[in-house]
């Protein structure tokens, strides 16, 4: 059996759309010492492929980080397989909140130096000495204390469409970039309750340990992240303090946690929180686009990209590397509106 996919993504997406199979999207992570990542990677691929699991899994000597889609008919078999691996026995599986079964269309298992790129020297501090884990009720109670500061450990394009009330949301592109910035922003709050949160919890494992190493005393992390918080709020009938949509790194690009839409189309400024990738493959910028602009710009982020996409393939290839698009300079768009009278203008450059 081959240990990687060889079918192009268009065929795979079409095959997934044609299937009448109920699937569940979930995520998991675990820090653990893995001696031979290549052998472990192949072992995982063989068994998960047999169970028709799709998704993305990163392995490193420090552990595992996965976002996957499992056929409901194979869910029990999947859990049984996970339990055959010592450090994964009983691992928490964060179940997606807003799931259409189309989150992934193939299985990728990659070996990396770290399961989350953080830029930290792990030997300089105890990465296992993280913050106190708190659940949804404890979170809601603790944020009532005026001496509590909430920090979003995600990137700008994630927090733009959804975040907790009154949270600090650093304007950063990567987790690696956020750590020193968050430390600087929190300097005056070292004696306060610090609550950190992210999508599923993995970034906060390292970030909370980093802050404790930097001298913060009352560091907490939302156990299971936004995904688990949303599940507990729904099950327990708690007040939902998360506003908007939770950005996810799969084909869905987001799952709705509350009805509020807190962001705007990057092209016209209309209230909207639907992320898309520019249809110009030479750009591929991730940005927010409303249906009207999607039609006007033909799924692209600018007139330049729309016009480029209308060229023949031969013309596009001849211009390759000679034109700079939005995505040539950065991969994730920012909303840059400014007032002109009573209207809204913005934005992503042409």
């Amino acid at each position: 059996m081959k240990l990687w996919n060889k079918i192009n993504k268009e065929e795979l997406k079409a095959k997934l759309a044609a299937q009448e199979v109920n699937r569940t999207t979930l995520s998991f992570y675990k820090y653990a010492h893995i001696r031979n990542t290549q052998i472990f990677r192949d072992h995982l691929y063989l068994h998960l492929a047999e169970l028709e699991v799709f998704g993305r899994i990163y392995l490193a000597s420090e552990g595992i980080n996965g976002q996957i889609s499992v056929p409901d008919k194979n869910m029990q078999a999947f859990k049984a397989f996970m339990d055959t691996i010592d450090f994964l026995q009983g691992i928490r599986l964060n179940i997606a909140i807003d799931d259409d079964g189309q989150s992934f269309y193939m299985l990728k298992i990659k070996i990396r130096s770290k399961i989350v790129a953080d830029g930290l020297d792990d030997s300089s501090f105890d990465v296992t000495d993280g913050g106190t884990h708190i659940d949804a009720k404890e979170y809601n109670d603790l944020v009532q204390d005026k001496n509590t500061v909430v920090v979003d450990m995600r990137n700008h394009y994630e927090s733009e469409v959804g975040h907790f009330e009154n949270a600090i949301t650093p304007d950063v592109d990567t987790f690696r970039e956020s750590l020193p910035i968050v430390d600087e922003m929190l300097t005056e709050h070292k004696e306060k309750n610090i609550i950190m949160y992210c999508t599923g919890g993995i970034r906060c494992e390292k970030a909370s340990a980093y802050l404790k190493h930097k001298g913060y005393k009352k560091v907490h992390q939302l156990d299971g992240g936004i995904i688990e918080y949303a599940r507990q709020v729904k099950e327990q009938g708690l007040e939902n303090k998360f506003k908007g949509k939770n950005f996810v790194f799969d084909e869905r690009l987001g799952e709705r946690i509350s009805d509020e839409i807190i962001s705007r189309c990057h092209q016209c400024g209309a209230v909207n929180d639907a992320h898309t990738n520019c249809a110009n493959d030479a750009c591929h910028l991730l940005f927010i686009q409303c249906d009207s602009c999607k039609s006007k710009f033909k799924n692209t982020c600018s007139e330049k990209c729309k016009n480029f996409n209308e060229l023949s393939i031969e013309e596009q290839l001849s211009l390759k590397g000679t034109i700079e698009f939005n995505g040539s300079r950065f991969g994730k768009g920012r909303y840059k509106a400014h007032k002109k009278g009573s209207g809204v203008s913005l934005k992503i450059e042409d």
Side-chain angles (χ1 to χ4, degrees):
M1 179 181 180
K2 65 181 183 294
L3 300 181
W4 56 87
N5 171 71
K6 289 186 176 180
I7 305 175
N8 71 59
K9 67 179 182 180
E10 286 75 21
E11 287 184 58
L12 291 170
K13 286 183 177 180
K15 182 178 179 181
L16 175 63
Q19 289 180 348
E20 295 184 1
V21 177
N22 293 324
R23 305 181 71 90
T24 297
T25 302
L26 55 88
S27 60
F28 61 91
Y29 70 89
K30 185 75 173 182
Y31 281 98
H33 296 297
I34 301 176
R35 291 185 177 180
N36 192 317
T37 53
Q38 186 62 55
I39 290 177
F40 185 52
R41 181 262 175 209
D42 293 347
H43 177 70
L44 280 180
Y45 196 101
L46 281 168
H47 287 81
L48 296 184
E50 283 186 2
L51 295 173
E52 301 172 78
V53 172
F54 297 154
R56 182 192 311 110
I57 298 175
Y58 296 134
L59 295 176
S61 57
E62 67 174 4
I64 184 171
N65 178 19
Q67 299 87 41
I68 60 174
S69 168
V70 183
D72 291 353
K73 64 181 181 179
N74 294 337
M75 184 62 74
Q76 292 307 312
F78 166 74
K79 291 180 179 178
F81 167 67
M82 296 288 275
D83 283 341
T84 65
I85 302 169
D86 288 345
F87 75 92
L88 296 180
Q89 288 180 6
I91 190 172
R92 182 183 57 228
L93 303 173
N94 290 323
I95 307 298
I97 304 301
D98 185 10
D99 191 6
D100 60 4
Q102 304 290 306
S103 55
F104 295 102
Y105 53 88
M106 64 183 292
L107 177 62
K108 292 182 181 179
I109 304 181
K110 297 185 176 182
I111 297 173
R112 291 187 162 184
S113 58
K114 289 192 174 188
I115 54 177
V116 176
D118 52 39
L120 297 175
D121 176 8
D122 292 351
S123 65
S124 66
F125 67 103
D126 184 358
V127 296
T128 66
D129 185 23
T132 302
H133 288 235
I134 58 174
D135 60 21
K137 185 179 185 307
E138 291 170 321
Y139 176 91
N140 283 3
D141 290 342
L142 193 55
V143 293
Q144 300 304 313
D145 188 335
K146 64 180 181 180
N147 289 313
T148 295
V149 179
V150 180
V151 187
D152 193 322
M153 292 307 302
R154 301 172 304 151
N155 305 321
H156 72 86
Y157 54 91
E158 298 173 81
S159 61
E160 181 178 6
V161 295
H163 54 75
F164 278 102
E165 295 175 353
N166 303 316
I168 293 173
T169 55
D171 183 19
V172 296
D173 291 319
T174 65
F175 178 54
R176 177 196 301 262
E177 181 185 351
S178 72
L179 292 170
I181 291 175
V182 166
D183 181 25
E184 182 178 350
M185 295 173 75
L186 293 178
T187 300
E188 61 184 288
H189 303 297
K190 278 201 170 182
E191 301 305 317
K192 294 183 179 180
N193 301 311
I194 306 296
I195 302 179
M196 317 183 84
Y197 72 88
C198 53
T199 306
I202 186 170
R203 283 176 275 191
C204 292
E205 293 287 349
K206 280 284 185 73
S208 62
Y210 174 76
L211 280 195
K212 290 182 71 175
H213 168 67
K214 298 290 287 186
Y216 295 83
K217 306 298 183 185
K218 303 173 184 177
V219 182
H220 305 77
Q221 62 185 89
L222 186 58
D223 194 27
I226 299 164
I227 298 174
E228 182 64 12
Y229 175 88
R231 186 188 69 79
Q232 292 177 15
V233 161
K234 184 176 181 180
E235 288 186 353
Q236 300 173 31
L238 302 173
E239 179 185 359
N240 180 16
K241 294 184 177 296
F242 188 92
K243 305 303 179 186
K245 181 184 285 187
N246 178 34
F247 183 94
V248 291
F249 294 87
D250 58 50
E251 293 294 306
R252 296 172 298 153
L253 291 178
E255 51 186 15
R256 188 153 300 287
I257 306 300
S258 76
D259 293 333
E260 293 95 338
I261 298 178
I262 67 170
S263 54
R264 293 179 177 274
C265 172
H266 285 184
Q267 290 173 305
C268 72
V271 174
N272 193 270
D273 61 4
H275 272 104
T276 188
N277 284 109
C278 180
N280 173 13
D281 287 336
C283 174
H284 208 60
L285 178 77
L286 177 70
F287 69 110
I288 297 174
Q289 185 179 52
C290 69
D291 289 341
S292 176
C293 288
K294 187 179 291 288
S295 175
K296 177 182 178 180
F297 291 95
K298 297 184 178 179
N299 292 17
T300 66
C301 71
S302 64
E303 285 286 351
K304 180 186 288 186
C305 283
K306 180 172 76 71
N307 294 338
F308 184 80
N309 260 15
E310 291 173 346
L311 298 174
S312 68
I313 297 299
E314 290 75 17
E315 289 175 303
Q316 290 182 21
L317 289 174
S318 69
L319 293 172
K320 186 177 181 181
T322 67
I323 303 177
E324 188 177 69
F325 300 102
N326 287 315
S328 304
R329 299 191 299 279
F330 50 85
K332 312 293 188 296
R334 285 175 166 81
Y335 180 69
K336 299 179 179 179
H338 61 274
K339 299 293 182 180
K340 281 188 177 180
S342 59
V344 178
S345 180
L346 70 99
K347 71 41 55 171
I348 296 180
E349 297 82 355
D350 287 330

